Amino acid sequence: MAYTAMQKWQLNNFGKKTYFMNADGDLLDQVVNCGCMGCGKTYNIMEAFGYYLIGLKQRGYSDLSYVLIGKTYNAIKKNMLNVLSKLFGSDFKYDHSTKDGQVCDARLFGFPLFLVALNDVNAEARIRGLSDITGAILDEHVLISEEAYTLILSRIRGGKELPDEYMNNWLVSSTNPDSPSHWLLKNYIQKGLVKLIQWHHRDAGWAGFKQYIERIKRTYRHMPAFYERYVLGRWKAAEGLVFSAFNAKVNVVDDGSTVDYNYVQRSWISIDYGSNHKTSVQVHHITYQGIRIVERNKTFERTSISKIVDYMLEQYDNVRSLNNIRQVNIYVDSAAQAVIDECRDRGVEALNAKKDVTAGNAYVNALFETGQLIILLNEGTQELIDEIYSYKYDDREKAKDGAVVKIGDDCCDALRYGVYSDAKYNGLI
């Protein structure tokens, strides 16, 4: 077959120091191959991995260990093992026997391979049981948690020195992009902790790719977020976002602006309390022109109710003094009766938040779409923005009722409580 320039480069450099060196000449130990759907990232990586092992075997190495990681065993088999079997035939085989004192899952050119499916209940134990691992290949990087990734990195510590041009102890992954707030992009790629290899349409060398990508384009042509992510290979929020109209360029003010209370008609505080998850406290305003502003967001974890209310009342007094008004409503989840009671004990009335999830989220999304809801960017509100990019409808049957995934939703719940409750209590809807 005819290889593209990217494929040739991967085949010639995989596992060598040139593969892990970034544009500044720094030698990193992690590489992320990222790009559009169907451009052949994982297939080419597995082929390059095979030739990498051939090169090491020719140099007299045979007992270096490697781990292949995916979300499920089916994904590992389909995306990785089937490629090895197709390309290298009998030189790849499943092998659970004890050989050279090692029990592994498969072998390629005699090198032991371990398989880890991260959805397996025993995945953490299997990762912790790994030792003397020279390298790891990870499929669909964005689908795993940061905690699992950190644990995997801690186990890549092979005991043998490789020839000078080869990299010791490495991890190579492939992935499609995810949302701009994904931990892989924010905590690793943007900080330069991993080398990013970007794949494009021109890098796909398989027959039928042009027809495939044209079909994908037609499928997502009316869904901008999906199109950018799957067709263009850009980091863009997609797949069932509740606040799909949110646009950071429109709905976030990041120039250091503060609230000018001369233009504020009304202010309020909202809280989503969590005894076994995060608590979010937010400060909101509405201008005389009808623009809603989220000024502050602060989260608490494993914090006493009294300390949370301390902070809430501090914001309450601060807003009243700055705005020279007496009435600042506090909207609290009715299920958090202890918070309501604590406020009342301190002489402040707290109101039950309006909790209609479907109508509330639709209202917030409509305000984002029309530019009538903005967030002032600061350290606290960044956490809210990050949540917006991952706040999704449940992908199961109950999603038709507007149910959302109840993970990492605390700031978004507080946002809905604040915006929707103020509108309902003040007759705006």
Side-chain angles (χ1 to χ4, degrees), residues 263-266 268 284-288 290-292 422 428:
Y263 298 95
V264 170
Q265 178 184 12
R266 186 168 62 251
W268 65 94
H284 297 246
H285 313 278
I286 187 171
T287 68
Y288 288 103
I291 303 298
R292 284 84 166 168
D422 175 76
L428 299 180

Side-chain angles (χ1 to χ4, degrees), residues 171-211:
L171 184 142
V172 173
S173 68
S174 64
T175 192
N176 301 123
D178 203 274
S179 80
S181 65
H182 194 280
W183 63 265
L184 175 59
L185 180 65
K186 288 186 59 180
N187 298 342
Y188 286 84
I189 295 174
Q190 290 179 343
K191 291 182 178 180
L193 299 179
V194 304
K195 177 181 177 179
L196 174 66
I197 297 179
Q198 187 70 44
W199 286 67
H200 304 278
H201 293 178
R202 63 178 179 269
D203 302 317
W206 58 278
F209 175 76
K210 289 184 178 180
Q211 293 84 348

Side-chain angles (χ1 to χ4, degrees), residues 320-337:
R320 289 177 66 198
S321 63
L322 289 172
N323 205 14
N324 195 29
I325 57 175
R326 294 184 60 189
Q327 184 63 42
V328 175
N329 285 343
I330 298 175
Y331 301 114
V332 182
D333 180 355
S334 57
Q337 189 59 47

Side-chain angles (χ1 to χ4, degrees), residues 68 70-79 81 94 105 115-120 122-123 126:
L68 307 182
K71 189 69 174 177
T72 67
Y73 280 115
N74 282 339
I76 294 173
K77 183 176 181 180
K78 176 184 175 183
N79 298 336
L81 302 181
Y94 295 95
D105 299 303
L115 313 179
V116 176
L118 293 171
N119 73 335
D120 191 295
N122 298 314
R126 284 182 61 80

Side-chain angles (χ1 to χ4, degrees), residues 83 168 285 340 383 399:
V83 177
N168 291 295
H285 313 278
I340 296 173
E383 191 169 358

